[in-house]
Amino acid sequence: MVGEGRWVLVRAGDGKALQGLRQELAEQDLATQEMPGSAIAVGLAGGEAVAATVVGVLRDWIHRRRSPERVELVVGEGTRTVERATVDAEVGAIEAFLVGR
């Protein structure tokens, strides 16, 4: 994907909304890059602490937005869908997915 290390690709149907998410992630000093197809890449260097930050920002962002109601996370060959309705209950599982547990 982008550079070395572990990255997560975040996909959503709305490119403009993703720009807001990218800005919020950058405010947390996380590496981000715009990708083709309504997606951004987020660097996961830093392991569990960074994963917790990414999930916290994503959770807050998805709750504040009317659309999209779901985003897709891709790490390597794995994919996980995060939905507004279940994100709070799945925080630990999403963090584990991001760090590869």
Side-chain angles (χ1 to χ4, degrees):
M1 185 175 291
V2 185
E4 291 185 29
R6 191 171 178 89
W7 290 78
V8 59
L9 184 68
V10 181
R11 290 187 186 139
D14 184 349
K16 185 175 179 180
L18 276 176
Q19 289 307 312
L21 176 60
R22 183 177 179 201
Q23 181 178 345
E24 290 182 38
L25 291 163
E27 288 170 2
Q28 299 298 316
D29 294 324
L30 297 171
T32 65
Q33 183 169 336
E34 189 171 344
M35 302 297 288
S38 293
I40 58 173
V42 183
L44 297 174
E48 291 181 16
V50 169
T53 300
V54 170
V55 172
V57 171
L58 178 61
R59 186 179 135 267
D60 292 346
W61 177 82
I62 203 168
H63 278 303
R64 284 194 318 272
R65 301 210 48 88
R66 187 170 200 184
S67 175
E69 292 186 21
R70 70 181 53 85
V71 296
E72 186 177 78
L73 306 178
V74 180
V75 178
E77 299 295 318
T79 301
R80 181 173 187 100
T81 300
V82 176
E83 298 184 14
R84 180 182 307 130
T86 58
V87 66
D88 292 332
E90 296 180 349
V91 167
I94 298 166
E95 288 176 7
F97 171 75
L98 294 178
V99 297
R101 284 187 282 159

